[in-house]
Amino acid sequence: MTADFPSEVLLPQKVLFRKGAVLDFARETADLGSRGLIVHGASLEKDGRREQILASFPDRRSLAFFCRKGGEPTLDEVTEVIEIARGAGAEWIAGIGGGSVLDLAKAAAGLFCAKRPPVHYQEGGRLEEKGIPFVAVPTTAGTGSEATPNAVIINPDKKAKLSIREKSFMACKILLDPDLLKGLPDAVMACSAMDAWGQGYESFISKNATWFTDVYALKSIELISRHLMTAIQTRSDETLAAILVGSYFAGVALAHARLGVIHGLAHPLGVLYHVPHGLVCSVCFVPSIQLNREAMGRKYDTMSRTIGQDLEQKVCKMIADLNLVSPFRGKPILEKEKMIEETLKSGSTAANPKPIGREDVEFLLKELF
Ligand SMILES: [Fe+2]
């Protein structure tokens, strides 16, 4: 078998990409059922979009809302959202927000009819029941969660961020609306997009990469590296659209090729230090390039050609220009053995082109702390 195509491809039924697409939300969900639950973050309320969406529904009582307070989603929060959705008689669940909002809504929709609690499925239990449709509306150009069939959820007992991965979790519809990025604070836009760029990079050099994933990954690297700085400075429609699509493409690539050691280490680091995922991944980017320089072979030159500059130099400059500094610098390394162990057994680390040993994780930690 050639490595040109993944053994299985999972894509949403429909992707709607245009300025103001979120205002078509009522029309786009009409065929999924009249009753739904929208999971969202605080900004949707503040900027008045929640009211706009509500006003577009013929019957306002058919919609229920769950506003997240922040932080990363936990197993208890998934259970809470499922209960609210069941109570509201929801026929679909949408997430309008960043990666945490999308992952929470995705898990709740996917496990809506599940007979066991979410932890059962996070621990590998088989899901027999089909969930209800999930609609993804990303408001950051970041995690690419809209394109993946997995939800990253914190398991507080294990103090770990773990995926629940089910093919049936894939969004049935995605609305990509560049207008939703307009109000993002600069720091959030910077970290999210650097995470997306890192995801494009890791899936491009992944051991599981195929022609199919390379096409998406390389385009995401091009779009984000070229437009991120201007997007932050100008918030122009064209540049916001470019990084939003770039982030979606990185999501498609990683859903089929997996990631690498950046994400293998980012999960335990994020849980132990409560640092935003995008920032952790941003500061791991350059050390990962140094670690993988030889193993990625000609793909390094391909990425450099695509961005029009040496990859490592370009990423270093972006990190410096965006003022992204390691939040771990000067801090003690907590639970080092556990962190190394979790990084080594991560599915992301397994896809890294250079086989990762404990000395490699120690190198990354030395660069960060
Ligand atoms: Fe990420």
Side-chain angles (χ1 to χ4, degrees):
M1 172 139 39
T2 67
D4 284 348
F5 203 70
S7 56
E8 191 167 24
V9 171
L10 292 171
L11 293 168
Q13 284 169 20
K14 180 174 181 180
V15 180
L16 194 68
F17 167 54
R18 69 164 176 270
K19 188 175 157 59
V22 75
L23 300 178
D24 284 334
F25 190 81
R27 194 165 45 214
E28 287 302 324
T29 51
D31 61 326
L32 305 177
S34 60
R35 305 188 74 82
L37 171 71
I38 297 178
V39 179
H40 63 90
S43 61
L44 196 76
E45 230 161 352
K46 276 192 227 138
D47 67 13
R49 281 207 169 83
R50 179 174 139 157
E51 193 47 47
Q52 277 180 307
I53 292 168
L54 194 54
S56 67
F57 275 79
D59 180 1
R60 296 165 73 103
R61 290 166 306 175
S62 63
L63 273 193
F65 291 91
F66 179 87
C67 180
R68 291 208 71 233
K69 289 166 198 76
E72 309 218 17
T74 62
L75 290 168
D76 283 348
E77 206 178 0
V78 176
T79 303
E80 188 185 352
V81 174
I82 291 171
E83 281 168 6
I84 293 170
R86 285 176 182 166
E91 293 161 276
W92 49 266
I93 297 178
I96 307 181
S100 296
V101 165
L102 298 186
D103 279 0
L104 176 62
K106 186 193 297 182
L111 299 176
F112 183 82
C113 300
K115 295 205 170 66
R116 308 285 293 270
V119 67
H120 174 73
Y121 306 100
Q122 195 181 47
E123 289 173 346
R126 195 165 153 199
L127 179 64
E128 310 277 356
E129 304 80 17
K130 197 171 179 307
I132 54 175
F134 164 56
V135 180
V137 189
T139 60
T140 61
T143 64
S145 170
E146 67 275 16
T148 72
N150 53 294
V152 181
I153 306 291
I154 290 187
N155 181 324
D157 293 338
K158 290 188 175 165
K159 277 209 241 159
K161 254 164 108 166
L162 298 165
S163 280
I164 309 178
R165 192 183 302 274
E166 290 287 344
K167 288 175 206 167
S168 61
F169 279 18
M170 179 58 76
C172 72
K173 295 191 186 191
I174 300 173
L175 274 60
L176 297 178
D177 181 351
D179 274 354
L180 293 173
L181 305 187
K182 283 227 153 100
L184 278 183
D186 289 358
V188 176
M189 191 179 283
C191 287
S192 311
M194 286 307 289
D195 177 31
W197 182 358
Q199 291 175 169
Y201 151 81
E202 285 206 304
S203 43
F204 187 64
I205 63 170
S206 159
K207 284 202 305 209
N208 307 318
T210 58
W211 170 87
F212 175 87
T213 57
D214 281 357
V215 171
Y216 283 97
L218 205 55
K219 192 67 189 174
S220 82
I221 291 167
E222 180 192 331
L223 287 169
I224 298 168
S225 63
R226 185 179 296 174
H227 296 287
L228 172 57
M229 201 52 85
T230 325
I232 290 178
Q233 288 161 350
T234 67
R235 300 289 196 278
S236 73
D237 291 342
E238 187 199 344
T239 56
L240 294 177
I243 62 170
L244 184 61
V245 169
S247 159
Y248 169 62
F249 284 174
V252 175
L254 80 89
H256 298 90
R258 304 295 300 263
L259 290 159
V261 72
I262 295 178
H263 283 78
L265 178 60
H267 285 183
L269 266 178
V271 174
L272 272 172
Y273 290 87
H274 304 285
V275 176
H277 173 78
L279 179 58
V280 182
C281 293
S282 301
V283 299
C284 289
F285 203 161
V286 172
S288 158
I289 295 173
Q290 292 164 348
L291 196 65
N292 283 304
R293 180 70 180 82
E294 217 175 292
M296 63 178 109
R298 283 188 307 175
K299 283 200 157 179
Y300 184 91
D301 303 323
T302 307
M303 286 185 280
S304 296
R305 261 199 317 278
T306 297
I307 63 180
Q309 193 180 334
D310 177 79
L311 174 69
E312 186 180 342
Q313 282 176 16
K314 174 80 176 176
V315 176
C316 276
K317 185 164 179 351
M318 287 289 275
I319 298 276
D321 290 350
L322 295 168
N323 287 320
L324 298 174
V325 178
S326 171
F328 311 109
R329 190 78 68 215
K331 290 190 176 155
I333 304 179
L334 303 173
E335 300 184 41
K336 185 175 172 187
E337 282 311 308
K338 184 172 182 254
M339 198 145 50
I340 292 176
E341 204 180 297
E342 284 189 18
T343 305
L344 293 179
K345 71 177 185 204
S346 146
S348 296
T349 303
N352 195 76
K354 177 187 193 297
I356 297 295
R358 61 172 294 130
E359 67 285 0
D360 300 311
V361 184
E362 282 182 345
F363 163 77
L364 294 172
L365 292 172
K366 189 164 69 61
E367 295 298 305
L368 297 177
F369 282 80

